[in-house]
Amino acid sequence: IDGINQIAITTNGILLPRKLEELKAAGVTGLNISLDTLDEHRFQLITRRNGLAKVMKAIDMTEAAGFDPVKINCVVMRGVNDDEIGEFVRLTKDRPLEVR
């Protein structure tokens, strides 16, 4: 479409590995992945489902597919995940990831 240079979506990442090629072929140029914790137990408490490994795989696949940057949306909650801020920062050290 004339005048549209970027199309981005936000996802929880759970089903992203199955749809990534299709999304890229459809012209999606940016991905935001919601992830509030890097701890499996906390992930289950926050999301009420298993799936941290799937989300981490989605992040890896998104990066490998050439999306740059991959944006990670993280809501920091006092007493819930605020002790993980450093771990989220470390994710960005050598990878094209932005945590916001």
Side-chain angles (χ1 to χ4, degrees):
I1 300 174
D2 286 337
I4 296 178
N5 299 321
Q6 297 180 355
I7 299 173
I9 64 166
T10 299
T11 174
N12 65 13
I14 298 288
L15 299 178
L16 189 56
R18 289 196 281 173
K19 301 290 185 179
L20 188 60
E21 293 294 322
E22 201 174 325
L23 290 168
K24 190 164 185 174
V28 172
T29 58
L31 288 167
N32 300 309
I33 300 174
S34 298
L35 180 63
D36 295 331
T37 182
L38 299 170
D39 178 84
E40 181 65 43
H41 178 70
R42 285 182 185 167
F43 186 90
Q44 291 175 8
L45 290 174
I46 293 169
T47 65
R48 298 186 193 122
R49 67 173 66 181
N50 293 323
L52 178 61
K54 289 179 182 178
V55 176
M56 297 308 291
K57 178 181 178 182
I59 292 168
D60 292 342
M61 290 178 69
T62 302
E63 180 183 354
F67 289 91
D68 185 2
V70 177
K71 295 181 181 179
I72 310 296
N73 296 332
C74 176
V75 176
V76 178
M77 298 167 276
R78 183 179 297 136
V80 176
N81 64 350
D82 55 343
D83 61 331
E84 296 184 67
I85 294 171
E87 292 178 57
F88 275 100
V89 171
R90 279 188 284 283
L91 278 178
T92 69
K93 184 176 180 192
D94 298 314
R95 300 174 70 183
L97 304 176
E98 290 182 7
V99 176
R100 7 188 254 146

